[in-house]
Structure formats: C-alpha cells, structure tokens
Amino acid sequence: MQTTNPQRAVIEVPERYAGNLRNGQTIDFAMPGGERMVRYSSLTVTDATGRTLPAWMEGVADEAVRGIRIVMDDRDAVYPITVDPLATSPAWMADSNQASALFGNAVATAGDVNGDGYSDVIVAAENYDNGETDEGRAFVYLGSASGLSFTPAWTAESNQALANFGYNVATAGDVNGDGYSDVLVGSSLYDNGETNEGRAYLYLGSPSGLGLTPAWTAEGD
C-alpha cells in the first residue's frame, strides 16, 4: 500500500487469532490450539526515491482494532511511501490428531499414484499408535485442480509395536512401468528375526491409488 502523509499503518486481524511478535520483524497469528494460520514478515518500506526506511511491526489490541501496527521512520522521506509486508499462509495443512505421533517428520512427493495428472504427497507419523505403541503410519494425500485433499486417500501401518513405520518415505517412481507412481516406506526398527533390523515396503500405484498391501518388502537380516 502507499501512504501520502506520515502515519502508522494497521492491518486488522480476526479476533479468533492470537499473535506472536518476534523482534519487530515477524509476527505469526495462530488459532487457539497453536496452529499457525498467517505470518507477516520481510517488511520493506521505501519512499518515492526507492530509499529503504527503517520500519518495524508492533502488536496492537484495543477497543477499536486488533492487529498489527507497522511503524516507519519517515524523516527526510519523499512521499508517497510504499509499505510492503509479506503475508504468508499455508494453502494446505494436515495433522495426526494424536499426541507425540511425529506427523510430518518425514514428507515427500508420492508422484502421481492414481494417474489423474496431479502430483500427490506422502506424509508419515513414525510414532503413531493404533493398536500398537509407536507402530507408525503413512498417509497419502491426493492432488487435484484445487490442490491437496484434506483427508488421506490411503494409509498404512506396521502393526508392530515400536517399529517406527514411516521413519522415512519416498516416491519410487514407476517401478513396474504401468504408468502409475509407486511409493516406498521405511520402518527403521522393525523386528523379524533380528532386533531392530528394519524393513522397507513398496506400494504400487493404480487407477484407484496405492495398494493396501505392499507388493515388495526387504529387510536388513
């Protein structure tokens, strides 16, 4: 935006957000549960000659407005002044809804597992519990013209306590040449004869997405 008189610019923020200002240069607004929704950072203020002016952000909350106050030192500035904070917010978010699951510790492209022309992503939660403690779970979210789906189209687990299924995840490319991307999931602490030997799983893509059972596995032995 541009200002033609010395003033402090205010960006109003919805009441449901809570702000966290750091060093006057970055401010995050989050939902009550702590989920970050909007970040303002990279504040740049320039005058009509292109000179960068000292500027910083302050939190403001009173009866009239609640949001961010952008303060600039306009001494010797040539008006109009351009104020340009960068606002960023995620286009998509997901979580495990389970304490200590470590969802997102491993993420990767899944390629296009269902051949619809949109890339998909695989996200893992290596400490996910669903019958077994820290068995781990991997989630695939499908891409579309509107972006990633908010619910996973596919999940898989190790069904073994402490296996950490999903410690790492990756696209495998198209290992069988059928035109669909496949994915690999690592289970770093899997036991099958040897303690914590680990296991890798390959799941094949298809018109309906990834298979529910692995087409291939390998272990450290």
Side-chain angles (χ1 to χ4, degrees), residues 92 94-95 103 119-121 123 139-143 148-153:
W92 173 90
D95 55 52
F103 181 89
S119 291
D120 312 310
V121 301
V123 183
F139 307 73
V140 167
Y141 297 86
L142 298 180
L148 290 177
S149 61
F150 287 93
T151 55

Side-chain angles (χ1 to χ4, degrees), residues 34-58:
E35 181 179 9
R36 195 181 80 201
M37 300 300 294
V38 180
R39 164 173 284 183
Y40 283 97
S41 62
S42 304
L43 173 63
T44 302
V45 178
T46 56
D47 71 0
T49 68
R51 182 169 66 95
T52 300
L53 305 179
W56 60 95
M57 292 185 286
E58 299 175 347

Side-chain angles (χ1 to χ4, degrees), residues 163-219:
N164 290 151
F165 181 87
Y167 180 80
N168 42 35
V169 293
T171 180
D174 181 6
V175 301
N176 59 347
D178 63 356
Y180 301 96
S181 292
D182 313 311
V183 301
L184 284 163
V185 181
S187 183
S188 59
L189 299 182
Y190 194 86
D191 301 336
N192 188 30
E194 292 79 25
T195 301
N196 296 345
E197 61 174 313
R199 173 181 278 187
Y201 302 74
L202 173 73
Y203 296 88
L204 298 179
S206 74
S208 58
L210 292 178
L212 297 179
T213 58
W216 171 93
T217 63
E219 301 169 4

Side-chain angles (χ1 to χ4, degrees), residues 83-97:
V83 181
D84 185 19
L86 176 63
T88 58
S89 57
W92 173 90
M93 293 183 296
D95 55 52
S96 69
N97 296 313

Side-chain angles (χ1 to χ4, degrees), residues 57-149:
M57 292 185 286
E58 299 175 347
V60 56
D62 55 36
E63 294 181 358
V65 68
R66 180 178 178 275
I68 308 164
R69 179 186 292 120
I70 298 174
V71 184
M72 66 205 79
D73 183 349
D74 66 346
R75 285 176 293 183
D76 301 322
V78 178
Y79 276 78
I81 287 176
T82 300
V83 181
D84 185 19
L86 176 63
T88 58
S89 57
W92 173 90
M93 293 183 296
D95 55 52
S96 69
N97 296 313
Q98 185 180 101
S100 303
L102 298 186
F103 181 89
N105 198 43
V107 297
T109 178
D112 182 4
V113 300
N114 61 347
D116 63 356
Y118 299 98
S119 291
D120 312 310
V121 301
I122 182 166
V123 183
E126 64 186 270
N127 285 353
Y128 195 87
D129 303 336
N130 188 32
E132 293 81 22
T133 300
D134 293 348
E135 62 172 312
R137 174 182 278 189
F139 307 73
V140 167
Y141 297 86
L142 298 180
S144 71
S146 58
L148 290 177
S149 61

